[in-house]
Amino acid sequence: MNSIRMLFTTTVLCLIASASQAQITISLTPSTTMPIVPGSSISWSGTLTNTGASDLFINGDQILVNPSDPFTIDDTPLLTPVQLFPLTAGSSYTGLLFTLTAPSFILNKNYTGSLTLLGGTDTFTTNPIGTQNFSFRAVPEPGATGLLVGVALTGAGIMLRRRKK
Amino acid sequence: MPIKGFSLIGKSRMHLGLAGASLLSLSLITGAAIGQGPGNVQSFRNSAGILRTFSNTGVIDRTGPFFTPLGQAFPITCEHCHFASEAWGISAAHAAQLFNSTGGTHPLFTAPTGSDVLAAQIPANVATLAQKQTMYNLMINKGLALVRRTFNPVTADFIVLGVKPPAGFAVGLSPTMIPAPDGSGMMIDGSWYLSYTASSNGGTPQIWTYRRPIPTTNMRFVTTAAWDGQDTRQFPDPIRRPTTAGIFDIAKATIKGRQTGPSLIAADGHVYSDAEQSALAHQLTDFMFSTTTGQDYDTLAGPLNANGASSGISSITNLNYYYGINDVLEGDLMVVPSPNPPGVQEIYSGSPFTGNVFNVYDGWNGNGNAARASIARGQALFNQTSRMTIDDVNGIQGYNRTIGVVAGGSTGLGLTGTTLTLPDSRVVPGLTGPVPGPQAGCVTCHDGPNVGNHSTRLAINIGVADVVPVTSSNNTNVNFNNSGLPTFYLQNKATGEIVQITDPGRATVSGKWSHIGQFKGPVLHGLVNRSPFFHSGAAKNLDAVIDFYSIRFNANFTAQEHIDLVNFLKSL
């Protein structure tokens, strides 16, 4: 249900963004599905290019992750550079954009996300002016895997000893 | 052996399964404990740093009714007065920008937000830009929207003698004029005024006031829905009348009052049934309760949950809060089911009120970062319970505060004794904690822990609705004034006493003389994004807010204390 809702919302945001005359294209790095272990972080850098004819103020953003497990996202690097306030017509900005931190415990699975820039030609407008998707995959922490195997082997050992008695 | 071995493996599998299940459970529990982190957020930069909104539904669905015109009569949506970038409110600066950039054609500038919902629907009255500026002057200058409240002149304690209306009211008409009782010129006759407002309400009189739109976020902390307690105030029992019900009523009334008009014609042309209105109102209510908003990053102090601080959006999302928590009048109370009679009752936890209402910046006391240290000092000032002289406040004191007339002297808060009669007429035991006393502080009225509203439905009159507030210098103070607002002349039916006020407040709803000028205290999160402040937009900025409290309650904040308090409020 969340996937459908997110897909729908992302599609709507993309459509709105594409319908807008003011556009910022986003190139994210890394662009591939990145692995993330519990408790660690991934940072995405990128290049934002204002392809429109007007200066654009990036007044905000929306970052969605699906499924919405308790990740922490820090998009401060995207909202503090003076070069993005405004990003002048035809210019580009390259730098760190946001960092995602995984919780200490998380299941192995694939995640998708989207970054939508909100802004416009003044400091008040918050229309979608650029969207880019990203993805990552949660992978087990070596220590956690070891712990799991350890617990299993300990359990098996106890069972074997009981059998022998 | 193979069988044994198989059996053994089978049991091991079972144990492995249990171990795995335990780890899974631990993972889920831990995740929930950490949980509600801002994984799905909207972030907006502002003058102090970054504001964030977290949605517990994962996404903020902009296709929902909050963002959609619901009627044919007016193109306005809920969002047009409640922008996410402004903590789900609207700043006067944004309203002015929208007017100027669109020549007054933005949907915000439609009749229900004007000075006069009837006059604004007559094209000749808003044909020119200057006429539109007049009709919407309160929205443009102070971010105020028209609020229409049904008023019963028969049951009320007072009569509306007359009104000096805002610019744009009854434009093109010839109201009956009478002399104002204070010799300040002419005013519209009260009978004419009520008859005129009744014509927009099926024959039932209304009082029209002009107020700041309240943020439609952080609803789980809200104990009173509207500024005047309409929709929640009528029912003192918080369970029988939870805030969700009040918000639902407001949402349903908004569909008619601001979007469809009396015709109830939907955007697609059909007429809403009551069930459809209710369904939409439920969606709107659910949406408003799904978001949490607050300042998350300060330009000078950095992340507001770093280096020992625990504010920011994650912390706000996880705050423990319930109706009556740390109430200054009654002490901490809880609401529990009552078997006999069936319903609910309030019980006291035994914990007295504590002045340490905010503690999220305790870790920044004496911090080497000047901005962090300033915020921490501001928090400490906010928590002080002996800094202000709380005097002449109708709603928490044992006498009535009226405009220019104070009946009775400064007899203290009048809270001691075996029982206490609350503004709701509830009679409750006396204080469970130390008497706040006339010497009190910000937290006397802002007692919600790390939220800053009042944790019960306490409406008070501190003088913001006065025609000339204490710091307004006859309304010539550009940073604090009630200029442009209406003046209501109200006369007590029993005593004949006459008062003047810019907004009757809770008295509009209750009809009680003692409730004139009473308003709730709002949630303080996201404050920096939604100037001007107070219900009337009297204070242009947070500096003006601090100036008001400093003078009004004799706090005499120093220049440094003033800065610290402003920095603290910006960080919420």
Side-chain angles (χ1 to χ4, degrees):
Chain A
M1 187 62 188
N2 275 344
S3 302
I4 296 170
R5 187 190 299 160
M6 174 158 177
L7 179 64
F8 181 70
T9 304
T10 303
T11 305
V12 169
L13 288 174
C14 289
L15 286 173
I16 293 170
S18 63
S20 170
Q21 291 181 340
Q23 274 286 330
I24 291 179
T25 60
I26 307 170
S27 172
L28 285 180
T29 305
S31 58
T32 56
T33 300
M34 294 296 293
I36 187 169
V37 298
S40 70
S41 301
I42 306 175
S43 291
W44 276 270
S45 297
T47 298
L48 312 180
T49 302
N50 181 352
T51 60
S54 304
D55 295 353
L56 291 173
F57 290 82
I58 297 177
N59 295 319
D61 68 63
Q62 175 161 298
I63 298 177
L64 302 176
V65 174
N66 186 53
S68 58
D69 285 329
F71 295 102
T72 300
I73 295 173
D74 180 12
D75 55 357
T76 306
L78 175 58
L79 295 176
T80 45
V82 293
Q83 301 96 312
L84 299 177
F85 207 67
L87 182 60
T88 55
S91 70
S92 295
Y93 168 82
T94 299
L96 177 64
L97 297 180
F98 65 95
T99 298
L100 180 145
T101 301
S104 301
F105 294 93
I106 191 168
L107 298 177
N108 297 357
K109 54 185 164 183
N110 291 315
Y111 292 86
T112 58
S114 66
L115 163 67
T116 301
L117 303 179
L118 305 172
T121 55
D122 56 64
T123 58
F124 293 102
T125 304
T126 55
N127 292 329
I129 52 175
T131 299
Q132 183 58 270
N133 295 329
F134 58 91
S135 61
F136 58 98
R137 175 178 175 74
V139 296
E141 194 176 21
T145 306
L147 178 64
L148 189 65
V149 172
V151 168
L153 291 176
T154 302
I158 292 170
M159 288 302 298
L160 279 171
R161 288 189 64 173
R162 284 182 179 168
R163 285 272 170 186
K164 285 178 180 175
K165 287 178 182 176
Chain B
M1 283 297 288
I3 296 173
K4 273 188 177 178
F6 182 77
S7 173
L8 179 65
I9 291 170
K11 287 195 176 180
S12 293
R13 275 183 175 163
M14 183 182 73
H15 283 259
L16 273 173
L18 286 174
S22 299
L23 279 177
L24 176 58
S25 300
L26 182 62
S27 167
L28 292 175
I29 291 168
T30 307
I34 296 169
Q36 306 303 314
N40 289 316
V41 294
Q42 276 194 345
S43 305
F44 298 98
R45 58 190 301 164
N46 57 36
S47 60
I50 298 174
L51 173 89
R52 300 193 201 279
T53 287
F54 171 75
S55 168
N56 64 18
T57 61
V59 295
I60 292 173
D61 180 7
R62 291 188 54 83
T63 64
F66 191 90
F67 304 93
T68 309
L70 300 177
Q72 280 192 343
F74 308 110
I76 194 169
T77 71
C78 298
E79 184 189 27
H80 291 143
C81 283
H82 302 280
F83 289 95
S85 54
E86 280 149 52
W88 301 91
I90 182 171
S91 66
H94 193 183
Q97 184 267 342
L98 289 172
F99 187 90
N100 294 330
S101 64
T102 65
T105 61
H106 188 276
L108 176 61
F109 306 104
T110 43
T113 60
S115 293
D116 184 330
V117 66
L118 295 172
Q121 292 181 72
I122 299 172
N125 291 338
V126 286
T128 68
L129 189 63
Q131 286 175 312
K132 285 182 182 174
Q133 280 177 321
T134 299
M135 183 58 70
Y136 299 102
N137 73 92
L138 289 173
M139 175 57 79
I140 296 167
N141 297 327
K142 292 176 178 285
L144 301 176
L146 172 63
V147 174
R148 290 174 281 166
R149 288 282 186 260
T150 295
F151 174 71
N152 189 333
V154 176
T155 59
D157 291 348
F158 55 90
I159 62 173
V160 180
L161 270 185
V163 183
K164 289 182 178 175
F169 181 87
V171 60
L173 300 177
S174 300
T176 302
M177 305 298 287
I178 59 174
D182 56 358
S184 61
M186 303 297 284
M187 64 181 184
I188 293 178
D189 176 73
S191 297
W192 190 95
Y193 176 88
L194 293 178
S195 175
Y196 180 62
T197 59
S199 65
S200 75
N201 190 39
T204 302
Q206 291 181 323
I207 286 179
W208 291 358
T209 63
Y210 307 85
R211 297 175 185 159
R212 299 281 292 125
I214 287 175
T216 52
T217 186
N218 296 324
M219 285 297 179
R220 76 181 179 93
F221 307 129
V222 171
T223 53
T224 304
W227 280 109
D228 57 15
Q230 166 88 331
D231 308 300
T232 49
R233 190 66 183 177
Q234 308 93 313
F235 296 80
D237 188 312
I239 291 298
R240 288 182 197 158
R241 192 60 180 171
T243 307
T244 46
I247 299 298
F248 170 85
D249 281 356
I250 292 174
K252 193 169 180 180
T254 298
I255 294 170
K256 177 181 178 182
R258 296 200 182 279
Q259 306 211 33
T260 70
S263 71
L264 288 173
I265 297 176
D268 64 5
H270 86 282
V271 177
Y272 283 121
S273 66
D274 187 69
E276 287 176 311
Q277 294 173 61
S278 294
L280 280 171
H282 276 300
Q283 288 182 57
L284 291 168
T285 304
D286 290 346
F287 173 74
M288 288 186 270
F289 273 84
S290 73
T291 59
T292 302
T293 303
Q295 195 74 1
D296 198 53
Y297 178 88
D298 183 276
T299 303
L300 298 176
L304 295 173
N305 62 349
N307 297 86
S310 57
S311 190
I313 188 64
S314 291
S315 300
I316 299 168
T317 304
N318 289 310
L319 275 177
N320 176 37
Y321 196 91
Y322 49 86
Y323 181 95
I325 185 171
N326 193 43
D327 180 46
V328 71
L329 293 179
E330 304 172 74
D332 191 78
L333 60 86
M334 293 179 288
V335 179
V336 299
S338 170
N340 188 24
V344 294
Q345 62 179 349
E346 293 173 354
I347 62 168
Y348 299 89
S349 71
S351 299
F353 164 75
T354 170
N356 291 322
V357 167
F358 281 89
N359 61 13
V360 288
Y361 295 117
D362 284 355
W364 283 0
N365 287 328
N367 194 288
N369 178 306
R372 291 174 184 164
S374 175
I375 290 171
R377 288 194 302 269
Q379 175 185 269
L381 282 164
F382 194 91
N383 287 344
Q384 279 188 350
T385 54
S386 59
R387 185 56 184 265
M388 296 176 168
T389 303
I390 305 296
D391 184 26
D392 195 15
V393 176
N394 176 307
I396 61 171
Q397 291 180 301
Y399 55 86
N400 293 334
R401 179 178 201 281
T402 52
I403 309 311
V405 179
V406 179
S410 179
T411 57
L413 291 177
L415 302 177
T416 55
T418 54
T419 61
L420 170 68
T421 302
L422 294 181
D424 292 330
S425 300
R426 284 178 292 162
V427 178
V428 300
L431 285 169
T432 58
V435 179
Q439 290 298 311
C442 306
V443 292
T444 303
C445 296
H446 298 272
D447 63 13
N450 293 312
V451 173
N453 64 341
H454 201 91
S455 70
T456 62
R457 289 170 185 158
L458 180 72
I460 56 174
N461 176 2
I462 60 172
V464 175
D466 289 7
V467 174
V468 182
V470 65
T471 59
S472 67
S473 302
N474 204 26
N475 283 332
T476 59
N477 180 350
V478 294
N479 292 321
F480 200 108
N481 64 74
N482 275 337
S483 63
L485 292 172
T487 299
F488 293 89
Y489 290 82
L490 311 175
Q491 183 171 37
N492 188 308
K493 289 177 180 176
T495 66
E497 184 180 9
I498 298 171
V499 299
Q500 55 177 341
I501 197 158
T502 57
D503 186 333
R506 185 182 169 209
T508 312
V509 180
S510 68
K512 293 186 182 300
W513 181 254
S514 60
H515 293 171
I516 291 174
Q518 288 187 349
F519 297 90
K520 74 163 190 174
V523 172
L524 298 182
H525 290 300
L527 203 59
V528 69
N529 300 273
R530 51 176 200 262
S531 62
F533 302 103
F534 296 116
H535 73 277
S536 64
K540 184 178 181 180
N541 48 40
L542 289 173
D543 289 303
V545 171
I546 300 303
D547 281 341
F548 173 80
Y549 282 118
S550 185
I551 294 171
R552 172 68 178 80
F553 296 117
N554 203 30
N556 298 316
F557 293 122
T558 66
Q560 185 60 54
E561 288 175 331
H562 179 116
I563 292 169
D564 293 340
L565 277 165
V566 169
N567 287 339
F568 167 66
L569 293 174
K570 284 180 177 177
S571 73
L572 296 177

